[in-house]
Amino acid sequence: MSLTNATSEISAHPGKNSVTHATDRAAQAADVDRKMRLYGVIEAFRAGKVPDNQQIDETLQYVKSTSPVNVNELSPDGQKLISDSRDIIETARLIVKDKNADELFQNFLWHTTETDFNKAKVDTDAATPITKDDAKKDGRQAIANLRTLLTLVLTNSEARKLLSDIQLIGRDLFARGAIKAGEKARPTQEQLAQVDDAAPSDNFASSSGPVGTTATPQVGGNVGGRQVTHDPKTGNTIITHPDGTTQTAGSVGQDARATAQAHIGETRAAMSAENPDGTKKSLKERIVAGYNSVSDRIPDERRDQAHEHVDRAKNFFREEFPEDRRDQ
């Protein structure tokens, strides 16, 4: 005998079979069934059982299609969050379907959880000793396995294609670099035409121009914007500055030592001013201070040259590896 379904009614004189909020028997049965299924899943996990791929797939599809809230009542950000969550669930479902098609993960969990560690030997003295022949046998087996693995890698088409691409790219870069270096190192036609010309006899190159056998040739050159001339006969080295003033090498060395001592004194004074309490700085602070000190003394033209070389290298790799090639 089944009871009559109650009706929802709120009034001053309700009917005999009326209640404030009647229970929907179909919804109640569905809710009880859902809770019983959840309880069964929890009890299965407690017993050490894991679901198979079909159960995981059905569960993820149910979670994806069922929302705990009404999506239409959410804000645009909330709807986007629900959509992203569903995409993540769908990705997880595809991963389980494609990467775990043979259920290796479930088998791994089953065998590892069912292992009886009490049967393992705890006493190291009771363990079976390994003989020399067994060690050699294991070594040969390991070498054979490594050879098999190496053979699989070398015979795999994707691995061979990757190695071939790396080799071709390296050869192409080397060839392009060699061509550019050859273009810079190749002499001009005028220079090559002078190869057959005979050199003047009894002539020596000097800083002041060609001299004969009766004069002593002086070695000279431009060093840092200054003209340096050395007379082998007298042993004097004369340095001519851009403003026309001259100095001997000895006086320049004394000035350099005095300048260095002055820089050392200024550095020590600056360090004392920055650290009046005399506490030791960390290694990082000392390295940064030393780098800044050295960087400030580098001429601007040298910095520009260094930046130019770096930019050339970056442009070379940008030309050789465009964005579409880098994405590969």
Side-chain angles (χ1 to χ4, degrees), residues 29-224:
D31 183 64
V32 171
D33 182 70
R34 183 172 60 254
K35 291 180 180 179
M36 291 299 296
R37 288 176 180 273
L38 178 61
Y39 177 75
V41 171
I42 295 174
E43 289 297 321
F45 277 116
R46 288 180 177 178
K49 298 180 180 180
V50 291
D52 56 13
N53 285 357
Q54 182 179 358
Q55 293 173 332
I56 295 175
D57 187 80
E58 294 176 355
T59 303
L60 292 178
Q61 286 184 353
Y62 172 79
V63 174
K64 176 186 174 183
S65 60
T66 305
S67 176
V69 295
N70 189 359
V71 180
N72 296 326
E73 297 179 357
L74 297 177
S75 64
D77 293 337
Q79 293 178 1
K80 187 175 185 304
L81 177 62
I82 295 297
S83 177
D84 293 341
S85 301
R86 288 176 175 175
D87 292 339
I88 293 174
I89 294 173
E90 178 64 18
T91 302
R93 190 182 71 85
L94 294 177
I95 289 175
V96 173
K97 183 179 179 180
D98 297 337
K99 302 299 183 181
N100 192 41
D102 47 3
E103 299 185 355
L104 287 178
F105 183 72
Q106 291 92 324
N107 293 331
F108 170 76
L109 291 179
W110 170 259
H111 290 295
T112 53
T113 53
E114 293 299 321
T115 302
D116 187 6
F117 294 98
N118 295 325
K119 296 181 179 179
K121 295 182 178 180
V122 181
D123 188 4
T124 57
D125 296 334
T128 304
I130 299 177
T131 62
K132 186 180 294 185
D133 295 336
D134 293 338
K136 291 182 178 180
K137 183 179 179 181
D138 294 340
R140 289 193 295 268
Q141 184 65 30
I143 293 174
N145 294 335
L146 290 176
R147 289 176 179 172
T148 303
L149 179 61
L150 181 61
T151 302
L152 292 176
V153 172
L154 294 179
T155 55
N156 182 266
S157 59
E158 295 180 357
R160 293 175 64 87
K161 181 66 168 57
L162 178 61
L163 295 176
S164 177
D165 292 343
I166 293 175
Q167 180 186 7
L168 292 176
I169 291 173
R171 289 169 57 187
D172 182 65
L173 291 177
F174 178 77
R176 291 178 180 270
I179 291 173
K180 292 186 177 181
E183 291 176 354
K184 292 184 178 181
R186 182 180 294 110
T188 62
Q189 294 297 329
E190 293 78 5
Q191 293 174 339
L192 291 174
Q194 296 176 3
V195 173
D196 297 332
D197 296 342
S201 60
D202 298 332
N203 194 348
F204 297 91
S206 179
S207 59
S208 59
V211 296
T213 56
T214 58
T216 302
Q218 296 180 353
V219 181
N222 194 311
V223 180

Side-chain angles (χ1 to χ4, degrees), residues 7-24:
T7 59
S8 299
E9 183 181 358
I10 300 177
S11 63
H13 303 285
K16 295 182 179 180
N17 200 28
S18 301
V19 293
T20 304
H21 182 71
T23 302
D24 188 355

